[in-house]
mmCIF file of all heavy atoms in Angstrom:
data_model
loop_
_atom_site.group_PDB
_atom_site.id
_atom_site.type_symbol
_atom_site.label_atom_id
_atom_site.label_comp_id
_atom_site.label_asym_id
_atom_site.label_seq_id
_atom_site.Cartn_x
_atom_site.Cartn_y
_atom_site.Cartn_z
ATOM 1 N N GLN A 685 9.188 -8.120 16.684
ATOM 2 C CA GLN A 685 10.437 -8.594 15.968
ATOM 3 C C GLN A 685 10.367 -10.065 15.600
ATOM 4 O O GLN A 685 11.359 -10.568 15.115
ATOM 5 C CB GLN A 685 11.646 -8.345 16.991
ATOM 6 C CG GLN A 685 11.845 -6.877 17.236
ATOM 7 C CD GLN A 685 12.722 -6.593 18.538
ATOM 8 O OE1 GLN A 685 12.437 -7.180 19.538
ATOM 9 N NE2 GLN A 685 13.842 -5.873 18.228
ATOM 10 N N ALA A 692 3.140 -11.001 8.520
ATOM 11 C CA ALA A 692 1.856 -10.481 8.464
ATOM 12 C C ALA A 692 1.975 -9.040 7.873
ATOM 13 O O ALA A 692 1.156 -8.632 7.040
ATOM 14 C CB ALA A 692 1.300 -10.458 9.842
ATOM 15 N N ARG A 712 28.495 -13.853 17.453
ATOM 16 C CA ARG A 712 27.188 -13.351 17.559
ATOM 17 C C ARG A 712 26.456 -12.986 16.246
ATOM 18 O O ARG A 712 27.188 -12.878 15.250
ATOM 19 C CB ARG A 712 27.201 -11.943 18.478
ATOM 20 C CG ARG A 712 27.709 -12.198 19.903
ATOM 21 C CD ARG A 712 27.973 -10.906 20.632
ATOM 22 N NE ARG A 712 26.723 -10.202 20.829
ATOM 23 C CZ ARG A 712 26.449 -9.026 20.260
ATOM 24 N NH1 ARG A 712 27.260 -8.452 19.400
ATOM 25 N NH2 ARG A 712 25.213 -8.379 20.462
ATOM 26 N N THR A 776 13.410 1.846 14.615
ATOM 27 C CA THR A 776 12.911 2.316 15.894
ATOM 28 C C THR A 776 13.282 1.434 17.083
ATOM 29 O O THR A 776 13.173 0.155 16.883
ATOM 30 C CB THR A 776 11.338 2.441 15.783
ATOM 31 O OG1 THR A 776 10.942 3.318 14.811
ATOM 32 C CG2 THR A 776 10.870 3.066 17.191
ATOM 33 N N ARG A 816 0.917 -0.029 42.382
ATOM 34 C CA ARG A 816 1.058 0.849 41.168
ATOM 35 C C ARG A 816 -0.273 1.403 40.675
ATOM 36 O O ARG A 816 -0.308 2.398 40.047
ATOM 37 C CB ARG A 816 1.888 0.096 40.131
ATOM 38 C CG ARG A 816 3.169 -0.328 40.675
ATOM 39 C CD ARG A 816 4.172 -0.985 39.741
ATOM 40 N NE ARG A 816 5.278 -1.507 40.460
ATOM 41 C CZ ARG A 816 5.737 -2.687 40.407
ATOM 42 N NH1 ARG A 816 5.268 -3.587 39.681
ATOM 43 N NH2 ARG A 816 6.774 -2.932 41.174
ATOM 44 N N ARG A 827 -16.142 -0.649 40.063
ATOM 45 C CA ARG A 827 -17.468 -0.163 39.474
ATOM 46 C C ARG A 827 -17.781 -1.014 38.254
ATOM 47 O O ARG A 827 -18.966 -1.388 38.029
ATOM 48 C CB ARG A 827 -17.395 1.318 39.202
ATOM 49 C CG ARG A 827 -17.460 2.235 40.468
ATOM 50 C CD ARG A 827 -17.394 3.654 40.060
ATOM 51 N NE ARG A 827 -17.596 4.609 41.231
ATOM 52 C CZ ARG A 827 -17.573 5.854 41.195
ATOM 53 N NH1 ARG A 827 -17.328 6.468 39.998
ATOM 54 N NH2 ARG A 827 -17.795 6.621 42.316
ATOM 55 N N GLU A 849 -15.582 -3.537 14.088
ATOM 56 C CA GLU A 849 -16.842 -2.787 14.090
ATOM 57 C C GLU A 849 -16.903 -1.780 15.225
ATOM 58 O O GLU A 849 -17.390 -0.662 15.129
ATOM 59 C CB GLU A 849 -18.004 -3.694 14.144
ATOM 60 C CG GLU A 849 -18.181 -4.467 12.816
ATOM 61 C CD GLU A 849 -18.586 -3.586 11.675
ATOM 62 O OE1 GLU A 849 -19.288 -2.538 11.818
ATOM 63 O OE2 GLU A 849 -17.845 -3.847 10.591
ATOM 64 N N ALA A 853 -17.261 2.269 15.126
ATOM 65 C CA ALA A 853 -18.248 2.885 15.876
ATOM 66 C C ALA A 853 -17.598 4.099 16.717
ATOM 67 O O ALA A 853 -18.101 5.180 16.848
ATOM 68 C CB ALA A 853 -18.947 1.967 16.858
ATOM 69 N N ARG A 858 -16.538 10.013 17.363
ATOM 70 C CA ARG A 858 -15.587 11.126 17.546
ATOM 71 C C ARG A 858 -15.777 12.155 16.500
ATOM 72 O O ARG A 858 -15.129 13.256 16.521
ATOM 73 C CB ARG A 858 -14.201 10.537 17.396
ATOM 74 C CG ARG A 858 -13.721 9.897 18.677
ATOM 75 C CD ARG A 858 -12.443 8.965 18.409
ATOM 76 N NE ARG A 858 -11.300 9.863 17.729
ATOM 77 C CZ ARG A 858 -10.451 10.517 18.416
ATOM 78 N NH1 ARG A 858 -10.431 10.447 19.702
ATOM 79 N NH2 ARG A 858 -9.516 11.175 17.765
ATOM 80 N N VAL A 866 -19.107 12.086 8.748
ATOM 81 C CA VAL A 866 -18.998 10.723 9.109
ATOM 82 C C VAL A 866 -18.380 9.813 7.975
ATOM 83 O O VAL A 866 -17.391 9.047 8.186
ATOM 84 C CB VAL A 866 -20.250 10.172 9.662
ATOM 85 C CG1 VAL A 866 -20.244 8.622 9.928
ATOM 86 C CG2 VAL A 866 -20.638 10.784 10.979
ATOM 87 N N GLY A 887 -5.341 -13.676 13.491
ATOM 88 C CA GLY A 887 -5.550 -14.997 12.908
ATOM 89 C C GLY A 887 -4.238 -15.871 12.859
ATOM 90 O O GLY A 887 -4.338 -17.055 12.437
ATOM 91 N N ALA A 890 0.874 -18.225 15.700
ATOM 92 C CA ALA A 890 2.241 -17.982 16.134
ATOM 93 C C ALA A 890 2.277 -16.696 17.085
ATOM 94 O O ALA A 890 3.239 -16.529 17.889
ATOM 95 C CB ALA A 890 3.182 -17.875 15.111
ATOM 96 N N LEU A 940 -7.697 -6.776 33.422
ATOM 97 C CA LEU A 940 -7.618 -8.160 33.088
ATOM 98 C C LEU A 940 -6.444 -8.441 32.152
ATOM 99 O O LEU A 940 -5.785 -9.448 32.375
ATOM 100 C CB LEU A 940 -8.952 -8.563 32.416
ATOM 101 C CG LEU A 940 -10.131 -8.540 33.201
ATOM 102 C CD1 LEU A 940 -11.313 -8.834 32.356
ATOM 103 C CD2 LEU A 940 -10.129 -9.609 34.361
ATOM 104 N N GLU A 947 0.773 -13.295 34.337
ATOM 105 C CA GLU A 947 0.699 -14.731 34.367
ATOM 106 C C GLU A 947 1.500 -15.328 33.220
ATOM 107 O O GLU A 947 2.103 -16.420 33.324
ATOM 108 C CB GLU A 947 -0.715 -15.135 34.218
ATOM 109 C CG GLU A 947 -1.557 -14.895 35.429
ATOM 110 C CD GLU A 947 -3.048 -15.227 35.339
ATOM 111 O OE1 GLU A 947 -3.450 -15.596 34.164
ATOM 112 O OE2 GLU A 947 -3.736 -15.174 36.313
ATOM 113 N N GLY A 959 0.102 10.539 22.087
ATOM 114 C CA GLY A 959 -0.122 11.834 21.101
ATOM 115 C C GLY A 959 -0.276 13.081 21.844
ATOM 116 O O GLY A 959 -0.882 14.011 21.276
ATOM 117 N N VAL A 961 -2.139 13.740 24.389
ATOM 118 C CA VAL A 961 -3.547 13.902 24.900
ATOM 119 C C VAL A 961 -3.474 13.787 26.464
ATOM 120 O O VAL A 961 -3.161 12.594 26.979
ATOM 121 C CB VAL A 961 -4.454 12.899 24.265
ATOM 122 C CG1 VAL A 961 -5.890 13.088 24.877
ATOM 123 C CG2 VAL A 961 -4.494 12.991 22.778
ATOM 124 N N ALA A 998 -0.063 19.405 7.763
ATOM 125 C CA ALA A 998 -1.039 19.884 6.800
ATOM 126 C C ALA A 998 -2.354 19.087 6.998
ATOM 127 O O ALA A 998 -3.477 19.804 6.955
ATOM 128 C CB ALA A 998 -0.528 19.581 5.392
#
Side-chain angles (χ1 to χ4, degrees):
Q685 296 165 302
R712 297 175 64 247
T776 303
R816 299 185 191 129
R827 285 182 176 177
E849 288 301 315
R858 285 165 52 91
V866 172
L940 293 172
E947 291 175 353
V961 179

